[in-house]
Amino acid sequence: MCGRTAQGLAPAQIRQHLDKTLPSKPAESWIDEDKYRTSYNVAPTRYQPIVRADAKTNSYVVHMMRWGLIPRHTTSMPDYSSVLKSINARDDSLFTGPTGKAMFSHSKNFKRCILLAEGFYEWRRRGKERVPFYTKRRDGNLMLMAAIYDVAQIQGQEEPMYTYATITTNASPQLDWLHDRMPVLIPNNDHEKIRAWLDPHLSWNSALETMLKPCDEFQEVKIDAKEDGDPTDKKTKSLYALETYQVDEKVNSVKNDSQEFTKPWISSSNKKTLSRFFMAKPATPRDPIKSPVVPKVLDNDDILFTPKEEVKGDGDKYVNSSQGSGSATLSSESPHKSDAQVKDEDTGDFDDFAFDEELSECDPDVSMRTAKPDEDEVLDPKLEGGILDNFNNDEEDEELRRIMELSRREHEQQLHQARSAYESPENSSTPIDQPDQEDDEMKKALELSRLQAIADGHNEFDPPIQGVLDQSEATETETSEAHIQSEADTEEELRRKEQEEFDRAIAASLQGDYENHDYDDKDTSLVGALTPPPQSSSTSGSASSMVSPGSDSMNPTTPTKKRKSSFGPQSIPPSPSGKKGKPNQAAKITDFFRQAQ
DNA sequence: CCAGACGTTGTT
DNA sequence: GTCTGG
DNA sequence: CCAGACGTTGTT
DNA sequence: GTCTGG
């Protein structure tokens, strides 16, 4: 888990955050600050800003360290894979007791630190598909990720190597749909915890140990109590401090770096699908958006927009971030080349910077961070700042934007209804338990998913969603298989079903986001009644066995199959043998959906 | 006592 | 460095 | 974390 | 497959 983070802020901005967050101000200048690069795609082995205590000056300091813990006893450059293995440290590996690992015993006592990140990426895996999601603090503050570091003097290297590992723990209930592990986050407002964690004179104890648990931080957020957004009627809700949403697959490759990766993403084909989904429901009359009435596309159920091919050549947006090894950079800009940094350099002035108002002052281009939440701002940044703003500013997208706005309001209304239904059931016309229609749709969609999977040849879908579907999983599957036999030849039919499935998946994902936001420990009935995260993929059913690599006859000096631990002295890496890998199945599937108009 | 390993995640 | 295994 | 490379001998 | 690079 947590093998990729985002840190696109300029040093000055990070300083601002720290001044407000840490119990006491850290030193103005960082150690090895020249190693800092902004990046929205930070991978292991990269240098990142770490907060640690400086025992001599008895103060905090930001120190650029390399991701991937190399323990102090290491003398020769460790094997690559061993470094990779120690980018994380499991919480229970630090515990006192049998699960505690020797490797961490020094660090956990004397070298605890905090990684500063805007957020982290996680890939949701379903079968062979991997979909990137981004998680950040809802309030836009920096994440304080609990970490440990160490110093190693590597033979032949001048400087001692400072490296770190982030600490992982079980995923919180809000995140376990995505992954089973998550980084340990230290609450930004808890000076005591921060102080204790960073205290170099405090050796490991049970109090520190209890800090290593999933993030359960909540934040108070004001929301409209009435669906039409009467600003006088506000309510306060506790929302999970983190928010998570899908992001652009371009983040997969570390060669790419774009702030877009930290924004909600939906493919251009999905845009269309999405609009189709919402078009199915007629816009409500209370629609406050007037102007162009009923666009022509409304009449056509099949073609909403001419699919505009996604511009492939926007490469300049995804610059090579060539961190570290002083290799040639594609751009000739300064090392800090984020918008934020440019802004910083241009103005050199952060007097107006208001911590509470997030960073919008410094970074006007970031639509996600549209200043502090306004009184009448909608709850769901996914819709508000994300998907809508993800569109281009041409006519077609303008139209889509309009449609999305309609649907957004509709969703809002539904959400408010659901809330009031829960809070005062007697006044509600909408039952909390969602109507059969909903379940029917879900069932239908799931069945279609299975059909699609089967049609794909080797897929079999996950079991029905608990509490939403009935238990007739087996029969349903069989029915589906029989069903498909009669209709498989209808290509059009398949395409349609696939389309519907996609519609549903996206809609479910949007709704699911609402549920996450609306999470409340007393509110289990509501949570249970609504949709879980999107179930839109598969478990592989028939594993195609691969042909094993050729014999070793050509390679007398057979390398050891698996190398052992290599923090000690190293041998020369064995020569790899083998063959070309087969094409990425996940990519194929993704492309398939992309091209499915 | 000495020698030698020491870490994580994902997969099925 | 520090723990486990032999 | 994911993407992408992965080899040798002989010759000038 | 397995390793390195970023």
Side-chain angles (χ1 to χ4, degrees), chain A residues 59-89:
Chain A
S59 63
Y60 299 124
V61 64
V62 178
H63 191 158
M64 296 299 299
M65 297 188 196
R66 208 166 158 264
W67 191 0
L69 188 75
I70 299 173
R72 60 196 304 93
H73 54 84
T74 308
T75 54
S76 64
M77 199 51 186
D79 176 65
Y80 186 89
S81 59
S82 30
V83 173
L84 185 71
K85 284 177 194 163
S86 53
I87 62 175
N88 298 137

PDB file of all heavy atoms in Angstrom, chain A residues 59-89:
ATOM      1  N   SER A  59      14.862  21.279  18.118  1.00  0.00           N
ATOM      2  CA  SER A  59      13.802  21.882  17.310  1.00  0.00           C
ATOM      3  C   SER A  59      13.499  20.958  16.134  1.00  0.00           C
ATOM      4  O   SER A  59      14.181  19.960  15.912  1.00  0.00           O
ATOM      5  CB  SER A  59      14.253  23.249  16.794  1.00  0.00           C
ATOM      6  OG  SER A  59      15.376  23.086  15.954  1.00  0.00           O
ATOM      7  N   TYR A  60      12.483  21.325  15.395  1.00  0.00           N
ATOM      8  CA  TYR A  60      12.118  20.523  14.239  1.00  0.00           C
ATOM      9  C   TYR A  60      12.858  21.000  13.004  1.00  0.00           C
ATOM     10  O   TYR A  60      13.214  22.173  12.875  1.00  0.00           O
ATOM     11  CB  TYR A  60      10.608  20.596  13.992  1.00  0.00           C
ATOM     12  CG  TYR A  60       9.804  20.064  15.154  1.00  0.00           C
ATOM     13  CD1 TYR A  60       8.842  20.857  15.769  1.00  0.00           C
ATOM     14  CD2 TYR A  60      10.017  18.776  15.632  1.00  0.00           C
ATOM     15  CE1 TYR A  60       8.101  20.371  16.833  1.00  0.00           C
ATOM     16  CE2 TYR A  60       9.280  18.288  16.694  1.00  0.00           C
ATOM     17  CZ  TYR A  60       8.328  19.083  17.296  1.00  0.00           C
ATOM     18  OH  TYR A  60       7.609  18.601  18.353  1.00  0.00           O
ATOM     19  N   VAL A  61      13.041  20.059  12.108  1.00  0.00           N
ATOM     20  CA  VAL A  61      13.710  20.413  10.866  1.00  0.00           C
ATOM     21  C   VAL A  61      13.123  19.583   9.735  1.00  0.00           C
ATOM     22  O   VAL A  61      12.672  18.456   9.940  1.00  0.00           O
ATOM     23  CB  VAL A  61      15.241  20.164  10.986  1.00  0.00           C
ATOM     24  CG1 VAL A  61      15.529  18.682  11.183  1.00  0.00           C
ATOM     25  CG2 VAL A  61      15.963  20.698   9.764  1.00  0.00           C
ATOM     26  N   VAL A  62      13.066  20.186   8.565  1.00  0.00           N
ATOM     27  CA  VAL A  62      12.639  19.435   7.388  1.00  0.00           C
ATOM     28  C   VAL A  62      13.883  18.909   6.692  1.00  0.00           C
ATOM     29  O   VAL A  62      14.833  19.658   6.457  1.00  0.00           O
ATOM     30  CB  VAL A  62      11.825  20.311   6.423  1.00  0.00           C
ATOM     31  CG1 VAL A  62      11.431  19.513   5.189  1.00  0.00           C
ATOM     32  CG2 VAL A  62      10.582  20.844   7.124  1.00  0.00           C
ATOM     33  N   HIS A  63      13.854  17.641   6.394  1.00  0.00           N
ATOM     34  CA  HIS A  63      15.045  16.974   5.880  1.00  0.00           C
ATOM     35  C   HIS A  63      14.625  16.142   4.673  1.00  0.00           C
ATOM     36  O   HIS A  63      13.758  15.283   4.789  1.00  0.00           O
ATOM     37  CB  HIS A  63      15.613  16.085   6.997  1.00  0.00           C
ATOM     38  CG  HIS A  63      16.966  15.543   6.719  1.00  0.00           C
ATOM     39  ND1 HIS A  63      17.818  15.106   7.712  1.00  0.00           N
ATOM     40  CD2 HIS A  63      17.641  15.346   5.556  1.00  0.00           C
ATOM     41  CE1 HIS A  63      18.938  14.671   7.184  1.00  0.00           C
ATOM     42  NE2 HIS A  63      18.856  14.794   5.867  1.00  0.00           N
ATOM     43  N   MET A  64      15.228  16.408   3.548  1.00  0.00           N
ATOM     44  CA  MET A  64      14.897  15.613   2.366  1.00  0.00           C
ATOM     45  C   MET A  64      15.486  14.210   2.497  1.00  0.00           C
ATOM     46  O   MET A  64      16.689  14.053   2.682  1.00  0.00           O
ATOM     47  CB  MET A  64      15.451  16.290   1.108  1.00  0.00           C
ATOM     48  CG  MET A  64      14.843  17.649   0.804  1.00  0.00           C
ATOM     49  SD  MET A  64      13.079  17.577   0.526  1.00  0.00           S
ATOM     50  CE  MET A  64      13.001  16.492  -0.889  1.00  0.00           C
ATOM     51  N   MET A  65      14.607  13.225   2.433  1.00  0.00           N
ATOM     52  CA  MET A  65      15.087  11.847   2.556  1.00  0.00           C
ATOM     53  C   MET A  65      14.535  10.983   1.435  1.00  0.00           C
ATOM     54  O   MET A  65      13.518  11.300   0.821  1.00  0.00           O
ATOM     55  CB  MET A  65      14.650  11.252   3.904  1.00  0.00           C
ATOM     56  CG  MET A  65      15.235  11.946   5.108  1.00  0.00           C
ATOM     57  SD  MET A  65      14.856  11.029   6.613  1.00  0.00           S
ATOM     58  CE  MET A  65      15.204  12.271   7.857  1.00  0.00           C
ATOM     59  N   ARG A  66      15.226   9.886   1.246  1.00  0.00           N
ATOM     60  CA  ARG A  66      14.884   8.988   0.155  1.00  0.00           C
ATOM     61  C   ARG A  66      13.907   7.928   0.643  1.00  0.00           C
ATOM     62  O   ARG A  66      14.040   7.392   1.753  1.00  0.00           O
ATOM     63  CB  ARG A  66      16.165   8.317  -0.353  1.00  0.00           C
ATOM     64  CG  ARG A  66      16.138   7.902  -1.790  1.00  0.00           C
ATOM     65  CD  ARG A  66      17.566   7.586  -2.224  1.00  0.00           C
ATOM     66  NE  ARG A  66      17.576   6.699  -3.384  1.00  0.00           N
ATOM     67  CZ  ARG A  66      17.697   5.398  -3.305  1.00  0.00           C
ATOM     68  NH1 ARG A  66      17.828   4.817  -2.129  1.00  0.00           N
ATOM     69  NH2 ARG A  66      17.691   4.665  -4.395  1.00  0.00           N
ATOM     70  N   TRP A  67      12.945   7.625  -0.214  1.00  0.00           N
ATOM     71  CA  TRP A  67      11.866   6.694   0.166  1.00  0.00           C
ATOM     72  C   TRP A  67      12.330   5.253  -0.010  1.00  0.00           C
ATOM     73  O   TRP A  67      12.631   4.839  -1.125  1.00  0.00           O
ATOM     74  CB  TRP A  67      10.632   6.978  -0.685  1.00  0.00           C
ATOM     75  CG  TRP A  67       9.404   6.269  -0.212  1.00  0.00           C
ATOM     76  CD1 TRP A  67       9.286   5.440   0.863  1.00  0.00           C
ATOM     77  CD2 TRP A  67       8.112   6.348  -0.803  1.00  0.00           C
ATOM     78  NE1 TRP A  67       7.999   4.999   0.974  1.00  0.00           N
ATOM     79  CE2 TRP A  67       7.261   5.534  -0.028  1.00  0.00           C
ATOM     80  CE3 TRP A  67       7.593   7.020  -1.913  1.00  0.00           C
ATOM     81  CZ2 TRP A  67       5.914   5.378  -0.342  1.00  0.00           C
ATOM     82  CZ3 TRP A  67       6.251   6.869  -2.214  1.00  0.00           C
ATOM     83  CH2 TRP A  67       5.428   6.051  -1.427  1.00  0.00           C
ATOM     84  N   GLY A  68      12.348   4.523   1.087  1.00  0.00           N
ATOM     85  CA  GLY A  68      12.823   3.128   1.072  1.00  0.00           C
ATOM     86  C   GLY A  68      13.881   2.974   2.141  1.00  0.00           C
ATOM     87  O   GLY A  68      15.037   3.348   1.942  1.00  0.00           O
ATOM     88  N   LEU A  69      13.488   2.462   3.277  1.00  0.00           N
ATOM     89  CA  LEU A  69      14.365   2.463   4.436  1.00  0.00           C
ATOM     90  C   LEU A  69      15.577   1.556   4.248  1.00  0.00           C
ATOM     91  O   LEU A  69      15.450   0.373   3.951  1.00  0.00           O
ATOM     92  CB  LEU A  69      13.589   2.010   5.678  1.00  0.00           C
ATOM     93  CG  LEU A  69      14.342   2.150   7.001  1.00  0.00           C
ATOM     94  CD1 LEU A  69      14.383   3.600   7.427  1.00  0.00           C
ATOM     95  CD2 LEU A  69      13.721   1.283   8.069  1.00  0.00           C
ATOM     96  N   ILE A  70      16.738   2.138   4.413  1.00  0.00           N
ATOM     97  CA  ILE A  70      17.973   1.362   4.425  1.00  0.00           C
ATOM     98  C   ILE A  70      18.521   1.438   5.837  1.00  0.00           C
ATOM     99  O   ILE A  70      18.917   2.509   6.295  1.00  0.00           O
ATOM    100  CB  ILE A  70      18.999   1.929   3.418  1.00  0.00           C
ATOM    101  CG1 ILE A  70      18.423   1.872   2.005  1.00  0.00           C
ATOM    102  CG2 ILE A  70      20.298   1.149   3.504  1.00  0.00           C
ATOM    103  CD1 ILE A  70      19.287   2.572   0.976  1.00  0.00           C
ATOM    104  N   PRO A  71      18.525   0.318   6.550  1.00  0.00           N
ATOM    105  CA  PRO A  71      18.901   0.342   7.968  1.00  0.00           C
ATOM    106  C   PRO A  71      20.357   0.729   8.167  1.00  0.00           C
ATOM    107  O   PRO A  71      21.200   0.571   7.287  1.00  0.00           O
ATOM    108  CB  PRO A  71      18.617  -1.081   8.444  1.00  0.00           C
ATOM    109  CG  PRO A  71      18.532  -1.904   7.207  1.00  0.00           C
ATOM    110  CD  PRO A  71      18.113  -1.005   6.108  1.00  0.00           C
ATOM    111  N   ARG A  72      20.636   1.198   9.344  1.00  0.00           N
ATOM    112  CA  ARG A  72      21.927   1.816   9.668  1.00  0.00           C
ATOM    113  C   ARG A  72      23.110   0.866   9.518  1.00  0.00           C
ATOM    114  O   ARG A  72      24.235   1.298   9.315  1.00  0.00           O
ATOM    115  CB  ARG A  72      21.880   2.342  11.094  1.00  0.00           C
ATOM    116  CG  ARG A  72      21.605   1.244  12.095  1.00  0.00           C
ATOM    117  CD  ARG A  72      21.170   1.794  13.465  1.00  0.00           C
ATOM    118  NE  ARG A  72      22.081   2.732  14.073  1.00  0.00           N
ATOM    119  CZ  ARG A  72      21.998   4.067  13.925  1.00  0.00           C
ATOM    120  NH1 ARG A  72      21.057   4.575  13.159  1.00  0.00           N
ATOM    121  NH2 ARG A  72      22.843   4.857  14.519  1.00  0.00           N
ATOM    122  N   HIS A  73      22.852  -0.395   9.643  1.00  0.00           N
ATOM    123  CA  HIS A  73      23.965  -1.337   9.603  1.00  0.00           C
ATOM    124  C   HIS A  73      24.392  -1.657   8.178  1.00  0.00           C
ATOM    125  O   HIS A  73      25.381  -2.349   7.969  1.00  0.00           O
ATOM    126  CB  HIS A  73      23.564  -2.633  10.299  1.00  0.00           C
ATOM    127  CG  HIS A  73      22.311  -3.231   9.765  1.00  0.00           C
ATOM    128  ND1 HIS A  73      22.299  -4.036   8.665  1.00  0.00           N
ATOM    129  CD2 HIS A  73      21.019  -3.106  10.160  1.00  0.00           C
ATOM    130  CE1 HIS A  73      21.056  -4.407   8.419  1.00  0.00           C
ATOM    131  NE2 HIS A  73      20.256  -3.851   9.303  1.00  0.00           N
ATOM    132  N   THR A  74      23.658  -1.171   7.229  1.00  0.00           N
ATOM    133  CA  THR A  74      23.957  -1.473   5.832  1.00  0.00           C
ATOM    134  C   THR A  74      25.235  -0.765   5.395  1.00  0.00           C
ATOM    135  O   THR A  74      25.385   0.442   5.603  1.00  0.00           O
ATOM    136  CB  THR A  74      22.802  -1.027   4.934  1.00  0.00           C
ATOM    137  OG1 THR A  74      21.583  -1.579   5.435  1.00  0.00           O
ATOM    138  CG2 THR A  74      23.031  -1.472   3.512  1.00  0.00           C
ATOM    139  N   THR A  75      26.122  -1.528   4.795  1.00  0.00           N
ATOM    140  CA  THR A  75      27.387  -0.927   4.385  1.00  0.00           C
ATOM    141  C   THR A  75      27.515  -0.801   2.873  1.00  0.00           C
ATOM    142  O   THR A  75      28.085   0.168   2.381  1.00  0.00           O
ATOM    143  CB  THR A  75      28.569  -1.768   4.902  1.00  0.00           C
ATOM    144  OG1 THR A  75      28.374  -3.121   4.467  1.00  0.00           O
ATOM    145  CG2 THR A  75      28.633  -1.732   6.410  1.00  0.00           C
ATOM    146  N   SER A  76      26.980  -1.773   2.168  1.00  0.00           N
ATOM    147  CA  SER A  76      27.062  -1.659   0.712  1.00  0.00           C
ATOM    148  C   SER A  76      25.676  -1.389   0.148  1.00  0.00           C
ATOM    149  O   SER A  76      24.675  -1.657   0.798  1.00  0.00           O
ATOM    150  CB  SER A  76      27.619  -2.950   0.115  1.00  0.00           C
ATOM    151  OG  SER A  76      26.731  -4.008   0.379  1.00  0.00           O
ATOM    152  N   MET A  77      25.674  -0.853  -1.019  1.00  0.00           N
ATOM    153  CA  MET A  77      24.416  -0.449  -1.628  1.00  0.00           C
ATOM    154  C   MET A  77      23.458  -1.641  -1.690  1.00  0.00           C
ATOM    155  O   MET A  77      23.788  -2.675  -2.253  1.00  0.00           O
ATOM    156  CB  MET A  77      24.667   0.097  -3.029  1.00  0.00           C
ATOM    157  CG  MET A  77      23.529   0.936  -3.542  1.00  0.00           C
ATOM    158  SD  MET A  77      23.037   2.229  -2.377  1.00  0.00           S
ATOM    159  CE  MET A  77      21.600   2.874  -3.186  1.00  0.00           C
ATOM    160  N   PRO A  78      22.309  -1.493  -1.068  1.00  0.00           N
ATOM    161  CA  PRO A  78      21.409  -2.632  -0.969  1.00  0.00           C
ATOM    162  C   PRO A  78      20.785  -3.000  -2.310  1.00  0.00           C
ATOM    163  O   PRO A  78      20.701  -2.187  -3.221  1.00  0.00           O
ATOM    164  CB  PRO A  78      20.340  -2.147   0.004  1.00  0.00           C
ATOM    165  CG  PRO A  78      20.381  -0.667  -0.103  1.00  0.00           C
ATOM    166  CD  PRO A  78      21.787  -0.299  -0.432  1.00  0.00           C
ATOM    167  N   ASP A  79      20.384  -4.207  -2.363  1.00  0.00           N
ATOM    168  CA  ASP A  79      19.658  -4.718  -3.505  1.00  0.00           C
ATOM    169  C   ASP A  79      18.410  -3.877  -3.725  1.00  0.00           C
ATOM    170  O   ASP A  79      17.752  -3.441  -2.788  1.00  0.00           O
ATOM    171  CB  ASP A  79      19.275  -6.168  -3.218  1.00  0.00           C
ATOM    172  CG  ASP A  79      18.437  -6.739  -4.329  1.00  0.00           C
ATOM    173  OD1 ASP A  79      18.971  -6.851  -5.443  1.00  0.00           O
ATOM    174  OD2 ASP A  79      17.272  -7.048  -4.091  1.00  0.00           O
ATOM    175  N   TYR A  80      18.111  -3.699  -4.967  1.00  0.00           N
ATOM    176  CA  TYR A  80      16.980  -2.852  -5.293  1.00  0.00           C
ATOM    177  C   TYR A  80      15.696  -3.349  -4.652  1.00  0.00           C
ATOM    178  O   TYR A  80      14.915  -2.585  -4.084  1.00  0.00           O
ATOM    179  CB  TYR A  80      16.808  -2.802  -6.810  1.00  0.00           C
ATOM    180  CG  TYR A  80      15.755  -1.840  -7.230  1.00  0.00           C
ATOM    181  CD1 TYR A  80      16.054  -0.513  -7.468  1.00  0.00           C
ATOM    182  CD2 TYR A  80      14.432  -2.253  -7.361  1.00  0.00           C
ATOM    183  CE1 TYR A  80      15.084   0.383  -7.822  1.00  0.00           C
ATOM    184  CE2 TYR A  80      13.453  -1.372  -7.726  1.00  0.00           C
ATOM    185  CZ  TYR A  80      13.776  -0.053  -7.953  1.00  0.00           C
ATOM    186  OH  TYR A  80      12.816   0.833  -8.298  1.00  0.00           O
ATOM    187  N   SER A  81      15.502  -4.662  -4.761  1.00  0.00           N
ATOM    188  CA  SER A  81      14.229  -5.185  -4.288  1.00  0.00           C
ATOM    189  C   SER A  81      14.114  -5.100  -2.768  1.00  0.00           C
ATOM    190  O   SER A  81      13.021  -5.004  -2.230  1.00  0.00           O
ATOM    191  CB  SER A  81      14.054  -6.630  -4.747  1.00  0.00           C
ATOM    192  OG  SER A  81      15.101  -7.398  -4.243  1.00  0.00           O
ATOM    193  N   SER A  82      15.241  -5.119  -2.085  1.00  0.00           N
ATOM    194  CA  SER A  82      15.128  -4.984  -0.629  1.00  0.00           C
ATOM    195  C   SER A  82      14.731  -3.575  -0.247  1.00  0.00           C
ATOM    196  O   SER A  82      14.019  -3.374   0.732  1.00  0.00           O
ATOM    197  CB  SER A  82      16.430  -5.393   0.046  1.00  0.00           C
ATOM    198  OG  SER A  82      17.528  -5.142  -0.775  1.00  0.00           O
ATOM    199  N   VAL A  83      15.184  -2.622  -1.020  1.00  0.00           N
ATOM    200  CA  VAL A  83      14.761  -1.256  -0.751  1.00  0.00           C
ATOM    201  C   VAL A  83      13.266  -1.130  -0.978  1.00  0.00           C
ATOM    202  O   VAL A  83      12.538  -0.522  -0.193  1.00  0.00           O
ATOM    203  CB  VAL A  83      15.529  -0.262  -1.638  1.00  0.00           C
ATOM    204  CG1 VAL A  83      14.966   1.132  -1.471  1.00  0.00           C
ATOM    205  CG2 VAL A  83      17.003  -0.280  -1.298  1.00  0.00           C
ATOM    206  N   LEU A  84      12.830  -1.748  -2.045  1.00  0.00           N
ATOM    207  CA  LEU A  84      11.410  -1.670  -2.348  1.00  0.00           C
ATOM    208  C   LEU A  84      10.581  -2.273  -1.223  1.00  0.00           C
ATOM    209  O   LEU A  84       9.509  -1.795  -0.888  1.00  0.00           O
ATOM    210  CB  LEU A  84      11.108  -2.399  -3.653  1.00  0.00           C
ATOM    211  CG  LEU A  84       9.658  -2.259  -4.093  1.00  0.00           C
ATOM    212  CD1 LEU A  84       9.381  -0.851  -4.569  1.00  0.00           C
ATOM    213  CD2 LEU A  84       9.313  -3.267  -5.157  1.00  0.00           C
ATOM    214  N   LYS A  85      11.118  -3.333  -0.657  1.00  0.00           N
ATOM    215  CA  LYS A  85      10.369  -4.006   0.397  1.00  0.00           C
ATOM    216  C   LYS A  85      10.264  -3.164   1.654  1.00  0.00           C
ATOM    217  O   LYS A  85       9.453  -3.460   2.524  1.00  0.00           O
ATOM    218  CB  LYS A  85      11.036  -5.341   0.738  1.00  0.00           C
ATOM    219  CG  LYS A  85      10.771  -6.421  -0.282  1.00  0.00           C
ATOM    220  CD  LYS A  85      11.533  -7.674   0.118  1.00  0.00           C
ATOM    221  CE  LYS A  85      11.592  -8.660  -1.029  1.00  0.00           C
ATOM    222  NZ  LYS A  85      12.638  -9.663  -0.786  1.00  0.00           N
ATOM    223  N   SER A  86      11.110  -2.195   1.770  1.00  0.00           N
ATOM    224  CA  SER A  86      11.056  -1.419   3.005  1.00  0.00           C
ATOM    225  C   SER A  86      10.618   0.015   2.767  1.00  0.00           C
ATOM    226  O   SER A  86      11.021   0.924   3.469  1.00  0.00           O
ATOM    227  CB  SER A  86      12.408  -1.449   3.699  1.00  0.00           C
ATOM    228  OG  SER A  86      13.422  -1.060   2.804  1.00  0.00           O
ATOM    229  N   ILE A  87       9.778   0.195   1.801  1.00  0.00           N
ATOM    230  CA  ILE A  87       9.169   1.525   1.663  1.00  0.00           C
ATOM    231  C   ILE A  87       8.078   1.694   2.702  1.00  0.00           C
ATOM    232  O   ILE A  87       7.721   2.804   3.056  1.00  0.00           O
ATOM    233  CB  ILE A  87       8.578   1.743   0.249  1.00  0.00           C
ATOM    234  CG1 ILE A  87       7.478   0.742  -0.035  1.00  0.00           C
ATOM    235  CG2 ILE A  87       9.681   1.654  -0.791  1.00  0.00           C
ATOM    236  CD1 ILE A  87       6.775   0.990  -1.354  1.00  0.00           C
ATOM    237  N   ASN A  88       7.541   0.594   3.164  1.00  0.00           N
ATOM    238  CA  ASN A  88       6.542   0.629   4.232  1.00  0.00           C
ATOM    239  C   ASN A  88       7.030  -0.183   5.426  1.00  0.00           C
ATOM    240  O   ASN A  88       7.820  -1.107   5.275  1.00  0.00           O
ATOM    241  CB  ASN A  88       5.213   0.015   3.767  1.00  0.00           C
ATOM    242  CG  ASN A  88       4.598   0.779   2.605  1.00  0.00           C
ATOM    243  OD1 ASN A  88       4.110   0.187   1.667  1.00  0.00           O
ATOM    244  ND2 ASN A  88       4.641   2.091   2.681  1.00  0.00           N
ATOM    245  N   ALA A  89       6.545   0.182   6.587  1.00  0.00           N
ATOM    246  CA  ALA A  89       6.749  -0.632   7.780  1.00  0.00           C
ATOM    247  C   ALA A  89       5.376  -0.899   8.374  1.00  0.00           C
ATOM    248  O   ALA A  89       4.629   0.044   8.664  1.00  0.00           O
ATOM    249  CB  ALA A  89       7.633   0.093   8.785  1.00  0.00           C
TER     250      ALA A  89
END
